[in-house]
Amino acid sequence: MKSHTQVCVIGGGVVGCSVLYHLTKLGWSDVMLLERSELTSGSTWHAAGGFHTLNGDTNMAALQGYTIGLYKELEALTGLSCGLHHVGGITLADTPERFDMLKAERAKHRYMGLETEILGPAEIKAMADLVNTDGILGGLYDPLDGHLDPSGTTHAYAKAAKLGGAQIHTHTMVTATTPNPDGTWTVETDKGTVIAEHLVNASGLWAREVAAMAGVYLPLLPMAHQYIVTDDIPGIYTRATEFPHVIDPGGESYLRQEGRGLCIGFYEKPCEAWSVDGTPWDFGHELLNDQFEKIEDSIAFAYRRFPVLETAGVKSVIHGPFTFAPDGNPLVGPVPGLRNYWSACAVMAGFSQGGGVGLALAQWMIEGETERDPRAMDVARFGRWTTPGYTVPKVIENYQNRFSVSYPNEELPAARPFRTTAMYDIWDGMGAVFGQTYGLEVVNYFAPEGAPRFETPSFRRSNAWGAVKAEVMAVRTGVGINELQNFGKFRVTGPGARAWLDRIMAGRIPAPRRLSLSPMLAPSGRLIGDFTISCLSETEFQLTASYGAQDQHLRWFEAHPDPGVTIENISDARTGFQIAGPRARDVLAACTRADVSAEAFRFFDVAPMTIGMAQCLVQRVSYTGDLGFEIYCSPAEQRHLFHTLWEAGQPHGIRPFGMRAMMSLRLDKFFGAWSREYSPDYTAAETGLDRFIHFGKNTAFIGRNAAEAERATPPARQLCAFEVAATDADVVAYEPISLDGEVVGFCTSGGYAHFTGKSIALGFVPREMAQDGLEASIEILGDHCPATLITTPLFDPDGARMRG
């Protein structure tokens, strides 16, 4: 075993071997993999081996599509068989809500170019005759679904990696990993020591233990999963074609052909977390004891849906553990706080996602960014506040809901409330209905007195409709107050602060006591941040952006340091409120001696002020698109600040509002939102954020070359707003936009703009089509709704009220 390597991958399952192969595919040959036992040990060897493209996140679905397409390439490259069975798959819907979900997924697939289709019960019966279609409303058919041989596929990845120069060492156990001052890692094993420039944790069931060697906690947990293989079934082995995959979410099961019989697995409600306190090092090729009692109800349901099972004998039972993250997606990417340490863990659907995960991680390591927006699987999405006490109930909840309907407005209850602000009990007393962002309880809306304190999950307009409308109207006609905790906030200080920001941010760095808006770009020109920059002095700045992206942003800042510059994450150390609406200035003036007149405190001004007794930082800006102020204070003074503003607002009818109202208010102005209109999938020029790029500054800011190129040659697509003739459901995201029956674009977000009474969608269309009045259609839950492109904001189009 060599003593130095560019990359050391720990873990020889399908994911580790995929990472190793993709590193060689992209040009790095000085790479090695260490496996404490044999390849496939852990979860890979006993996997059911199914693969599919269906995923709620379109980028994950695309990576799954890449994975499936890769298998034939691996076979051609290595001469090894992956045991491919492309049999197609049907996901059944037995409720209107589940059918809505499938129609929404089919709409996404239309713009992604995936050839899925909605089937009726008769079509399902013709394709899968052993399915009892009683109670079935329809299904979603995907021709790419299938299954493979887990061992053969893993060894194909491994051989392909070796052909590219990689080394694989089995029966080599890692005992310690230590960071070195130069960013390399010392990896100690029972066969010797290796110095690695980069370290990849692809350790599967042992990912927590390997991460602990580096002093970090990864939020994942193994769950015990059980599937059954039947004896021979005449209705199977006499068929002319192989039986398709069938997922029956109502019965928490998936079913496929296995040889001359069937294989059926369950995501049962009475599930079992396995090895909560750590995976034994001597585990690897064992199975767990059969536990039919926990799947009794699921089996009884399966007998009704697939009657042939009731008389089929059981050939074998496979009961083994595999790992989940709290939301079911993988944990991939550079681990925050560590240099050159990478995660490729919690890939519970390894044969659907393993290829895409390997590709994305290799791109991230070699090219500095991924081809597709990685946020759905970014290891940084959970932050450093997670603990086993949080992870265990969230993973159990995710497992139990694996086949449940996933609603766009759903807020799952496990491990909540966990992180709260000083305002939690006050909001609760006012009837708050909470959601959560990055583990933090955030008000979605305030339920009227006597109304349920729960938003009904739905693809259509929910029971929150009336309450949200009232909050929107309160802001537009008087004044509303909303908490500011759920913004990511950073303090940048030092003599080099301005120069550093000029390099990191593409926009103008403001003068003292002023703020500016700026995109933050990757070298490719794609967006990795959408920031408000506030200059408090020449040596102190505050940056404000997405709360949920704070660890991703801090990781980027720390990867691009300058001497004499300090960056602190103060997201939870600085909090406060925004007040917005035509009476907002009256409220502020009533509780400070500072001059907040329009002449003295202009739009985009920043100033320290004493509000009541609290020392605050006040910014003249509001995401509502109305006259508004952001008021920041310390957490210890937050309750006092609230009572001061609340009392001053009483003569003006002040009312609290939540995030549902905020997202409605922004639609009046066509304001984009981070993770929707603005994300690493898009560039500044595509989204219109290029208007905030300061091309005149004499700085080689990151992404400048790409932004200049798009300035010279505008991109092919453009973000636009549409008024939609919707009925009881509005755009959520990724609905296709069609012109004359042809898909030409897709939506990024939408909803109902309560103040103007219009259903609004934001989305991309070809630039040459982006003309006011364009008549198109947008598919919402299977209905093709007429949509008209509009270019003039519905509220305060000239910004007179916002800037006044």
Side-chain angles (χ1 to χ4, degrees):
M1 186 170 68
K2 58 186 177 182
S3 60
H4 290 76
T5 187
Q6 192 170 12
V7 182
C8 177
V9 178
I10 303 175
V14 64
V15 175
C17 290
S18 172
V19 170
L20 195 71
Y21 163 64
H22 281 94
L23 288 169
T24 64
K25 184 177 182 180
L26 269 60
W28 282 10
S29 58
D30 182 17
V31 296
M32 66 189 304
L33 182 148
L34 305 179
E35 164 55 47
R36 63 173 190 87
S37 183
E38 299 283 355
L39 297 184
T40 77
S41 297
S43 296
T44 297
W45 74 273
H46 62 71
F51 54 79
H52 56 86
T53 60
L54 189 63
N55 191 292
D57 181 88
T58 55
N59 284 304
M60 290 302 302
L63 288 177
Q64 290 175 200
Y66 165 81
T67 301
I68 294 168
L70 178 65
Y71 292 134
K72 289 184 179 179
E73 177 184 324
L74 282 176
E75 289 184 329
L77 179 63
T78 65
L80 300 179
S81 172
C82 294
L84 293 175
H85 295 255
H86 278 287
V87 296
I90 305 168
T91 301
L92 305 176
D94 57 355
T95 65
E97 294 77 14
R98 199 178 304 281
F99 204 26
D100 277 348
M101 185 181 81
L102 295 184
K103 287 185 286 188
E105 290 302 309
R106 168 63 186 131
K108 295 177 188 177
H109 296 163
R110 275 167 52 80
Y111 96 80
M112 293 175 67
L114 295 174
E115 298 300 324
T116 58
E117 60 180 299
I118 295 292
L119 304 179
E123 294 170 297
I124 294 170
K125 191 70 175 178
M127 189 175 292
D129 55 302
L130 299 182
V131 176
N132 176 7
T133 57
D134 290 349
I136 295 298
L137 302 180
L140 180 69
Y141 174 68
D142 186 347
L144 290 180
D145 278 15
H147 59 275
L148 45 65
D149 170 26
S151 179
T153 301
T154 303
H155 283 278
Y157 275 123
K159 183 175 180 179
K162 288 180 180 179
L163 291 172
Q167 293 185 10
I168 295 177
H169 299 277
T170 57
H171 299 284
T172 303
M173 182 171 177
V174 173
T175 57
T177 63
T178 307
N180 300 315
D182 63 355
T184 63
W185 286 83
T186 298
V187 183
E188 298 177 42
T189 79
D190 57 358
K191 301 290 176 60
T193 298
V194 179
I195 304 297
E197 295 177 28
H198 297 268
L199 188 59
V200 178
N201 181 349
S203 305
L205 292 176
W206 296 269
R208 294 171 296 174
E209 288 71 29
V210 171
M213 295 178 186
V216 297
Y217 171 70
L218 292 179
L220 56 88
L221 177 70
M223 295 293 293
H225 181 66
Q226 198 163 206
Y227 65 89
I228 296 169
V229 178
T230 72
D231 286 330
D232 294 357
I233 298 175
I236 290 295
Y237 65 73
T238 59
R239 286 176 57 91
T241 59
E242 188 170 352
F243 197 77
H245 281 209
V246 180
I247 295 177
D248 180 25
E252 304 164 345
S253 71
Y254 59 88
L255 176 141
R256 67 168 176 83
Q257 184 170 337
E258 174 69 18
R260 292 162 59 90
L262 290 169
C263 164
I264 184 167
F266 305 96
Y267 284 90
E268 69 284 356
K269 291 293 190 290
C271 57
E272 176 192 1
W274 182 79
S275 289
V276 172
D277 296 318
T279 303
W281 288 109
D282 59 357
F283 185 85
H285 283 279
E286 300 83 0
L287 289 174
L288 309 180
N289 293 331
D290 301 346
Q291 290 188 17
F292 284 107
E293 63 276 8
K294 72 176 182 177
I295 58 174
E296 283 179 349
D297 291 343
S298 298
I299 290 176
F301 196 101
Y303 286 165
R304 295 193 295 273
R305 182 64 65 215
F306 311 106
V308 70
L309 292 174
E310 194 162 10
T311 56
V314 173
K315 179 184 291 184
S316 60
V317 178
I318 308 298
H319 190 203
F322 65 125
T323 56
F324 278 81
D327 62 0
N329 276 340
L331 299 173
V332 179
V335 175
L338 298 178
R339 291 173 62 191
N340 301 328
Y341 189 101
W342 305 79
S343 175
C345 305
V347 189
M348 54 77 55
F351 293 98
S352 292
Q353 300 173 341
V357 165
L359 173 67
L361 192 66
Q363 289 174 336
W364 217 332
M365 295 175 72
I366 295 171
E367 300 168 8
E369 56 182 306
T370 57
E371 178 184 352
R372 294 182 175 275
D373 178 3
R375 287 171 305 123
M377 62 179 178
D378 191 336
V379 66
R381 71 187 183 277
F382 288 109
R384 306 179 205 189
W385 46 267
T386 54
T387 64
Y390 170 86
T391 301
V392 172
K394 290 305 287 186
V395 166
I396 291 173
E397 177 185 61
N398 183 272
Y399 185 98
Q400 292 172 329
N401 286 281
R402 173 74 175 158
F403 282 156
S404 297
V405 178
S406 179
Y407 297 97
N409 67 329
E410 187 172 26
E411 298 284 354
L412 297 174
R416 295 178 56 203
F418 176 28
R419 305 176 69 233
T420 62
T421 72
M423 287 297 297
Y424 182 80
D425 63 324
I426 294 177
W427 295 142
D428 187 54
M430 291 181 165
V433 178
F434 290 96
Q436 73 84 33
T437 298
Y438 206 60
L440 178 74
E441 294 297 311
V442 176
V443 178
N444 280 341
Y445 69 97
F446 292 87
E449 187 174 351
R453 295 279 297 275
F454 176 75
E455 182 178 6
T456 305
S458 177
F459 287 92
R460 301 173 189 273
R461 294 169 184 167
S462 78
N463 62 315
W465 173 271
V468 173
K469 179 179 181 179
E471 293 172 24
V472 166
M473 300 305 289
V475 172
R476 286 285 187 252
T477 61
V479 60
I481 185 168
N482 171 271
E483 194 169 11
L484 282 179
Q485 175 68 19
N486 59 321
F487 284 168
K489 298 170 283 287
F490 299 90
R491 183 170 179 259
V492 182
T493 57
R498 178 176 290 275
W500 180 80
L501 284 169
D502 245 336
R503 179 170 65 90
I504 295 295
M505 299 291 173
R508 184 184 303 274
I509 310 305
R513 300 294 180 91
R514 294 285 289 169
L515 65 82
S516 65
L517 306 180
S518 174
M520 185 168 71
L521 307 180
S524 65
R526 293 190 296 169
L527 296 167
I528 54 173
D530 168 31
F531 281 83
T532 299
I533 306 171
S534 306
C535 181
L536 311 185
S537 74
E538 282 297 336
T539 58
E540 182 180 1
F541 295 80
Q542 176 175 293
L543 308 180
T544 310
S546 165
Y547 188 78
Q550 61 184 267
D551 241 21
Q552 295 160 351
H553 288 151
L554 183 60
R555 181 178 62 195
W556 183 261
F557 296 154
E558 290 176 341
H560 299 84
D562 269 357
V565 180
T566 301
I567 303 103
E568 303 168 74
N569 184 353
I570 59 169
S571 298
D572 295 323
R574 190 166 288 176
T575 187
F577 304 93
Q578 69 165 317
I579 53 174
R583 307 306 296 273
R585 181 180 285 113
D586 298 327
V587 174
L588 184 60
C591 49
T592 183
R593 298 180 63 83
D595 185 351
V596 295
S597 65
E599 298 75 23
F601 197 47
R602 303 163 298 160
F603 187 60
F604 277 15
D605 270 357
V606 180
M609 292 183 194
T610 301
I611 312 294
M613 294 185 290
Q615 188 59 38
C616 301
L617 179 71
V618 183
Q619 304 190 154
R620 176 70 202 286
V621 69
S622 173
Y623 187 57
T624 63
D626 214 314
L627 170 66
F629 304 86
E630 294 178 352
I631 307 169
Y632 295 93
C633 67
S634 75
E637 297 173 352
Q638 186 185 19
R639 290 169 73 97
H640 166 76
L641 176 61
F642 171 75
H643 290 303
T644 300
L645 294 168
W646 188 252
E647 183 178 348
Q650 291 309 303
H652 308 291
I654 193 168
R655 180 167 182 162
F657 66 101
M659 291 307 297
R660 295 280 189 262
M662 177 82 81
M663 297 308 280
S664 174
L665 289 160
R666 61 113 186 179
L667 292 174
D668 288 332
K669 298 285 286 185
F670 309 158
F671 286 171
W674 182 252
S675 82
R676 298 186 181 195
E677 284 68 47
Y678 311 140
S679 84
D681 275 331
Y682 316 127
T683 68
E686 289 176 328
T687 59
L689 284 184
D690 56 336
R691 67 189 184 276
F692 297 118
I693 294 179
H694 184 26
F695 288 104
K697 64 181 180 180
N698 187 26
T699 307
F701 59 82
I702 297 172
R704 177 161 195 154
N705 289 342
E708 292 277 13
E710 284 201 319
R711 189 185 188 196
T713 306
R717 62 187 179 184
Q718 180 176 324
L719 183 66
C720 302
F722 290 86
E723 181 181 339
V724 187
T727 52
D728 65 337
D730 303 294
V731 159
V732 175
Y734 303 116
E735 294 85 351
I737 302 171
S738 298
L739 195 64
D740 298 326
E742 179 185 354
V743 175
V744 296
F746 63 94
C747 298
T748 51
S749 74
Y752 198 79
H754 285 280
F755 181 67
T756 50
K758 297 181 184 298
S759 182
I760 300 298
L762 302 179
F764 287 103
V765 297
R767 183 167 294 271
E768 65 274 11
M769 295 182 180
Q771 304 295 323
D772 193 77
L774 174 74
E775 297 293 334
S777 72
I778 295 176
E779 183 181 346
I780 303 176
L781 302 180
D783 295 329
H784 293 268
C785 302
T788 303
L789 194 152
I790 50 179
T791 56
T792 302
L794 304 175
F795 169 76
D796 193 28
D798 59 358
R801 191 152 115 180
M802 183 172 66
R803 294 177 170 84

